[in-house]
Amino acid sequence: MVFGANTAQDLVLKKELDILQQRFADRLQMHYLVSEAGPSTGEADNKDVSYGARVNTSRLRQFFGARREGDEKVFVCGPPGMEKALVGGRTCGRGILEELGFQKDQVHVF
């Protein structure tokens, strides 16, 4: 799961997601990307958070690689600009997920 946020405070349910990652380590990997430049006071223990990072083609390629098994699903939830970048649209063409080899029936936006 790739969780992109503006600040570390925006990583809602992080503790709960980390517990799920530990419990289902063979099926769930968490990747936290925070666009702010670095941890502020009290956030230094978030070593598993990448600061100054955004959800983009190179990051997603790093996490997902090039393999497409056909049974993978992608669930996209976020602000309209991010959704548009990930899934594309009539005015902007292909999105990042299509460039990475995901088919339209694999991508679900909510």
Side-chain angles (χ1 to χ4, degrees):
M1 178 175 170
V2 178
F3 193 139
N6 289 324
T7 70
Q9 290 83 15
D10 296 330
L11 296 173
V12 296
L13 301 174
K14 184 179 182 309
K15 290 179 185 178
E16 291 82 354
L17 290 169
D18 288 343
I19 291 169
L20 288 173
Q21 177 179 311
Q22 291 172 355
R23 185 172 175 195
F24 301 104
D26 59 327
R27 296 184 283 168
L28 177 63
Q29 293 178 351
M30 295 300 304
H31 303 283
Y32 300 103
L33 304 177
V34 174
S35 59
E36 70 181 5
S40 59
T41 307
E43 296 171 4
D45 59 336
N46 281 337
K47 293 175 179 46
D48 57 339
V49 175
S50 296
Y51 288 93
R54 294 186 179 272
V55 178
N56 59 32
T57 305
S58 61
R59 286 282 181 172
L60 293 180
R61 187 172 285 122
Q62 173 188 351
F63 298 144
F64 299 127
R67 70 185 199 301
R68 294 294 152 256
E69 299 172 13
D71 61 348
E72 298 168 324
K73 300 290 183 195
V74 178
F75 300 92
V76 177
C77 179
M82 186 185 77
E83 288 181 5
K84 192 174 187 178
L86 290 172
V87 300
R90 289 185 288 222
T91 59
C92 65
R94 291 173 34 142
I96 292 170
L97 295 172
E98 188 177 350
E99 290 176 19
L100 293 176
F102 288 100
Q103 302 298 312
K104 290 193 183 291
D105 64 341
Q106 292 178 279
V107 179
H108 306 276
V109 179
F110 60 102

